[in-house]
Amino acid sequence: MTDHNDAHWMNLALEEARKAASLGEVPVGAVLVQHNTLLAQAHNTRETTHHISGHAEIQVLEKASGGIQSWRLPESTLYVTVEPCLMCVGAILQARVQRIVFGVREPKTGSLVSNLQLQKIPNTSKVEIIEGILSSECQSLMKSFFGVHRES
């Protein structure tokens, strides 16, 4: 797993985030890739489905697991526009995702580097964390969404 095209896959995650925003969802998108092959893509669905677990990361893990008929997703990379929360990090670890690439930090609930620091938890040092890929695009999408939704 040495040939990463992080900007390409993050652009797909951004497309998913835009779909979420168009539905009135917080614009978070996620893509799961294994051996440079797209396994699944998803976006937030909490508002439309009324499910607590409707985060983009959970959705993409579920879709990918169903597609390959295994809950284990080794040697995979998760691309997500915003730093995952604690619930999502737990699912990511359970799925055995090897790499997490995210666009922007989430200062309130982010659980990779912002609040909980994943690399300091025992037995998680094998998870590679990359941040800041297409960060300005990810940040801009979040700011424009919350600018509109906080005014109304």
Side-chain angles (χ1 to χ4, degrees):
M1 251 183 47
T2 57
D3 183 32
H4 303 297
N5 191 350
D6 292 341
H8 167 75
W9 297 115
M10 187 61 78
N11 268 315
L12 286 180
L14 276 162
E15 286 178 22
E16 287 295 320
R18 288 182 192 100
K19 288 179 189 175
S22 74
L23 298 170
E25 297 279 353
V26 173
V28 177
V31 170
L32 194 73
V33 176
Q34 189 179 56
H35 304 294
N36 211 28
T37 300
L38 178 66
L39 294 182
Q41 54 195 80
H43 55 270
N44 274 2
T45 61
R46 281 195 328 173
E47 299 300 326
T48 53
T49 64
H50 309 291
H51 291 145
I52 294 165
S53 61
H55 290 204
E57 301 93 326
I58 302 291
Q59 300 304 305
V60 81
L61 293 172
E62 293 286 335
K63 287 180 179 182
S65 295
I68 66 168
Q69 297 296 296
S70 176
W71 60 269
R72 292 176 188 90
L73 300 164
E75 299 180 6
S76 63
T77 299
L78 173 69
Y79 293 89
V80 61
T81 55
V82 177
E83 179 182 8
C85 72
L86 183 57
M87 173 182 69
C88 293
V89 168
I92 292 163
L93 291 174
Q94 288 295 314
R96 314 293 199 269
V97 171
Q98 184 175 347
R99 262 178 106 232
I100 306 166
V101 179
F102 69 95
V104 295
R105 290 185 180 198
E106 206 319 316
K108 291 181 182 176
T109 62
S111 293
L112 292 177
V113 295
S114 293
N115 294 297
L116 175 68
Q117 294 181 354
L118 182 65
Q119 297 298 323
K120 291 185 179 180
I121 298 173
N123 303 315
T124 61
S125 62
K126 292 180 182 176
V127 178
E128 182 182 3
I129 299 170
I130 309 294
E131 70 173 292
I133 303 298
L134 300 183
S135 61
S136 60
E137 293 90 333
C138 296
Q139 184 70 38
S140 175
L141 188 56
M142 292 296 283
K143 281 185 176 181
S144 66
F145 177 83
F146 283 110
V148 168
H149 285 78
R150 286 190 177 135
E151 290 173 4
S152 45

